[in-house]
Every structure is written in C-alpha cells, then in structure tokens.
Amino acid sequence: MARGLGPLLRGRRRQLGGVAFGLRKWKSSVSLQAKMPPCDFVPEKYQSYAYDHMLKIRERNISPSLVTYYKKPLLLHQGYMQWLFDYEGRRYLDLFAGIVTVSVGHCHPKVTVATQKQLARLWHTTNIYMHPSIQEYAEKLTSFLPDPLKVVYLTNSGSEANDLAMFLTRIYTRNFDIICFRGGYHGGSPYTLGVTSIGPYKHGIANGFGCSTTMLPDVFRGPWGGSHCRDSPVQTIRKCSCSEGVCHAKDQYVEQFKDTLNTCVPKTIAGFIAEPIQGVNGTVQYPKGFLKEAYQLVRERGGLCISDEVQTGFGRTGSHFWGFQTHDVVPDIVTMAKGIGNGFPMGAVVTTKEIASSLAQNLHFNTFGGNPVACVVGAAVLDAIEEDGLQKNSEEVGTYMLLEFAKLRDKFEIVGDVRGKGLMIGIEMVTNKTFRIKPPMCITKRDADFAVEVFRTALERHMERAAEK
C-alpha cells in the first residue's frame, strides 16, 4: 500500500513519509541545503491537553483501526494554506493535503468566510424543502462537466458516492456485475469494498459479490510497459520500440481486459469503475488510449462507465479539470469527494438525467447530503480554484516537481519510478514503499524546491547509513 509523503518538519528532527531522520545519536555528513520558505501567518497558541495525555486518550477512546504514522505521531493544531502547525508551534509544509483532500489550502480565507456566513444563516433543514444553496451549487458544479452529465446527487463522502454509483449502474442496466482494476481504491463501505482491490483493506468476511477484478495496466510494475506510455512529463525507464501513435503495452492490456469480459462476467454487465489515475495504490497511470478502448468494450456489454474522481478531480491533474478528460472519454457517472469541500465532509455523484431517473422509481433519501453549509462550502471551493488559478498552478508546479524528482530517480538507484500528472505525484522505491505527493494546490515552486531538497537529503542519508553497515 502506498504511503503518503506527509508534512516536512522544520527544525531538529525532520520526518519524511514515515521515515524519521535527523541528528539524534547518528551524525550525518549530509546537510540540508534548502531553508523552509517563509510564512507570515502566526498560529494561535495551543491550549488543549498535553501531548502525553492526548496519546492516552487516543489509545483508550479512539478506534485502533485509525492508525497513525511516525514513531511519535504528529499532533497538529492549526493550518493555513499549504502550511500546518503542531502543538508546539512548529511549522510544516503539507505535501499530502489530508490524503488529497485540502484542495485550495487549509482554512482558505474565501471558503472560511463563506462558511461562517452560512453558519449564521442556516445550518440544516431537509431536502424535502428547498433552500437556495443546493440549487445554486448544483448549477455551478455541473457547469464544469460536459453534456449530458448535468444531474447531481450530493452525499457526505467518497465511499458513499461510489456506493451510490454502483447502485445506480445496477438499477439502470438491470444487470449486476461490475468490473474494477486490481489496486483500485473506491471506499471502505461493505458495498464499495467489492471494488476496492488492495489487500490491507480487505477483512475476513464475504464481500465483492458481483464484482470482478481485471489486470491493472501498470506500465512500470506490469508485464508490459515502455518509454512513451504515460500521459506524464516523466516516463518509465523501460524501453520500447513502439512507433509514434502505437503502444504495444496498451494493446496487450486491452487484450487482458477483453479476457476478463469473456471469462469472468455474463454477456451483459452493470458497469466498470476506475480512477483516471490510481490514488491509494501509488499514483499508477495507465497507457494512453487504454481507458478509451475499455469504455467502448464495457458499453458494448450494456454497462455504464464510472469515473472515480475523488482524488483526480477539481484541477489536480493540471491540464484538465477532471481526470477523465485526460483520457479523452466521457463517463456515464462521475463520483467526487475529498477536494470538493477542501476538508468539509461532502461528496457527489453526477450523471445523466436518464440514469438519475432510475433512482426515482422508489424512495432514496439522504439526511445530510446537500445541506446548506456543504453547498456553500462547495461553491466557495470552485470559486477559489478559478480565482486563484489553481488548476494552472497544479500543472506548472506539478510538472516542475515531477521533473526535479525524476533527477533524483536518475541519481539514486533505490528510486525505481517517478510518475504522475499535475500535483498528483508518486515516487516508487525499488523495494518497500511508494510515496504519494499530493499537496494543496496552492503550493509554490519555492515550496517544491524545499520539498525536493529534503527528499534528496533523506536519500543521501539513507545511502550513507547503508554504506556504513
């Protein structure tokens, strides 16, 4: 399972993707050259329980399934844009954005003000009555999507959105089987666990009835891949002899997809769900053109195509607002969450009028989905993305970071692959972990320089330690 490249600590002890490095008992000849970029924001003084008492409460009262990273877990107190502050006032550059959730920046002023105004006006009513913000938000959100994707059902999370999308495909098509990629993550609910194909998320109970996995078209780890496969400024180090416009790897993975259709499911299916770029599995990208052919094959079987945009949506890939647009496809259903609310719990399912109507045959209701506060938050996030130029920033800073990290791959043999698009970046080590780098989209090139330098220093210190053993 991929690990997030979390906040980078300023000071004596720096932490990187679960690996702490610093001065402690071992002295390194490698020094950190870059300084953390300045920040004018001054955090409030921490006034809650002492750190040790917080640890005791967590052990006693918080579910043990909620694991923490680092030997000494971070106790974060406040955030502002790309910065986080811990209980001692130390500042961190956030490179993981609360698992790809903080899109426009922690406590973005525009989003904060809009939320405060709505909290003073109306928190909650019910969707059996009208309130202005749900209509306003539905119109604004769908304006970012192509026809005929113009009907919204608002939820509270990505798992809930994908759960509903699966339900919709089965109701509309009157078929049951759904295909997904190995390595995909689509949620942790009992329903979505069927299409989440990552071992540590699987529990020893029945799940996945009617869900079939197919080979992941991974051009780095998979059996086929070359030097021109990915829609990324950084390609794999694998070589190929494909001529322009031809991709042998793509063709082979399409054949595997056909084999799944021919052997694992009935002649008609409900649908196919995929992330445009796999997130939890380590920012895995498919060969260019693959998803377009897969969509066509699914539709020939009567199935609907679901694009899980929980991590790739809202401009994160840089070149496009939605991940599916980078594959030149239009899905039948789009699911979204995380960055949709910049940390506020909300999600959405967007589809066509025809498909959405199938849910109206019987009652389907959501208490909190589309509540007044959520809709105002969502609208403010869309405004901030446009006004702050964050999609363009994702493309420019993300491309810069990818190319800089690629230089480290070429220098250090322990780095196997660098991949991604925009501010959705993965670094895969030759053994062990994959680092996921997905910061708030307001990060700057100066921040990127600091992040790359810290990562370079960590690699050099690791190599130095290894040489001393």
Side-chain angles (χ1 to χ4, degrees), residues 99-396:
I99 314 184
V100 209
T101 299
V102 179
S103 49
V104 300
H106 292 280
C107 302
H108 189 287
K110 183 179 185 67
V111 181
T112 299
V113 169
T115 306
Q116 290 170 337
K117 287 183 178 179
Q118 186 60 42
L119 285 170
R121 185 182 301 120
L122 179 66
W123 287 31
H124 180 76
T125 172
T126 168
N127 287 326
I128 63 175
Y129 310 132
M130 292 177 63
H131 60 82
S133 57
I134 190 170
Q135 282 76 227
E136 293 167 353
Y137 180 58
E139 182 180 54
K140 179 172 286 191
L141 178 62
T142 55
S143 72
F144 287 84
L145 287 141
D147 288 328
L149 298 169
K150 296 298 178 182
V151 181
V152 184
Y153 193 104
L154 294 167
T155 67
N156 305 292
S157 71
S159 291
E160 190 181 337
N162 283 327
D163 196 291
L164 178 58
M166 293 171 66
F167 192 51
L168 267 174
T169 64
R170 288 168 168 163
I171 290 176
Y172 177 76
T173 65
R174 297 299 177 184
N175 299 322
F176 192 70
D177 289 76
I178 296 175
I179 296 174
C180 59
F181 283 137
R182 293 167 198 151
Y185 180 84
H186 302 286
S189 68
Y191 213 43
T192 57
L193 273 177
V195 289
T196 288
S197 186
I198 299 175
Y201 290 94
K202 296 287 191 179
H203 295 267
I205 60 172
N207 71 82
F209 182 55
C211 299
S212 297
T213 64
T214 189
M215 178 182 281
L216 170 63
D218 182 345
V219 297
F220 175 69
R221 283 179 287 180
W224 305 287
S227 52
H228 306 287
C229 297
R230 295 193 296 224
D231 179 19
S232 172
V234 181
Q235 300 294 327
T236 71
I237 58 174
R238 300 172 77 167
K239 302 300 180 184
C240 69
S241 57
C242 296
S243 58
E244 187 176 350
V246 175
C247 181
H248 174 72
K250 183 262 293 181
D251 294 340
Q252 292 299 315
Y253 286 119
V254 168
E255 289 303 312
Q256 290 295 315
F257 195 82
K258 289 179 181 178
D259 186 62
T260 299
L261 288 170
N262 291 332
T263 62
C264 300
V265 295
K267 292 181 180 179
T268 57
I269 62 174
F272 166 56
I273 185 169
E275 305 156 90
I277 301 174
Q278 283 193 339
V280 175
N281 197 35
T283 318
V284 175
Q285 294 178 276
Y286 324 130
K288 288 177 285 189
F290 172 87
L291 210 57
K292 193 167 188 176
E293 291 195 36
Y295 272 32
Q296 181 179 342
L297 292 168
V298 168
R299 286 167 173 158
E300 288 173 359
R301 295 287 186 116
L304 301 181
C305 298
I306 305 169
S307 182
D308 181 341
E309 297 281 347
V310 170
Q311 294 195 28
T312 51
F314 298 94
R316 180 162 289 278
T317 62
S319 63
H320 297 80
F321 201 81
W322 305 108
F324 68 78
Q325 294 171 317
T326 68
H327 295 274
D328 191 26
V329 297
V330 177
D332 302 293
I333 302 174
V334 180
T335 60
M336 53 195 80
K338 290 186 180 287
I340 191 174
N342 199 47
F344 192 90
M346 62 184 297
V349 177
V350 180
T351 187
T352 68
K353 185 77 171 179
E354 182 181 358
I355 295 171
S357 296
S358 63
L359 196 63
Q361 296 170 12
N362 290 291
L363 186 63
H364 188 89
F365 186 75
N366 191 306
T367 299
F368 296 108
N371 71 77
V373 178
C375 292
V376 166
V377 169
V381 168
L382 291 174
D383 289 343
I385 291 171
E386 285 199 298
E387 293 169 11
D388 295 356
L390 296 183
Q391 181 181 334
K392 182 180 179 182
N393 190 66
S394 290
E395 181 172 29
E396 292 179 351

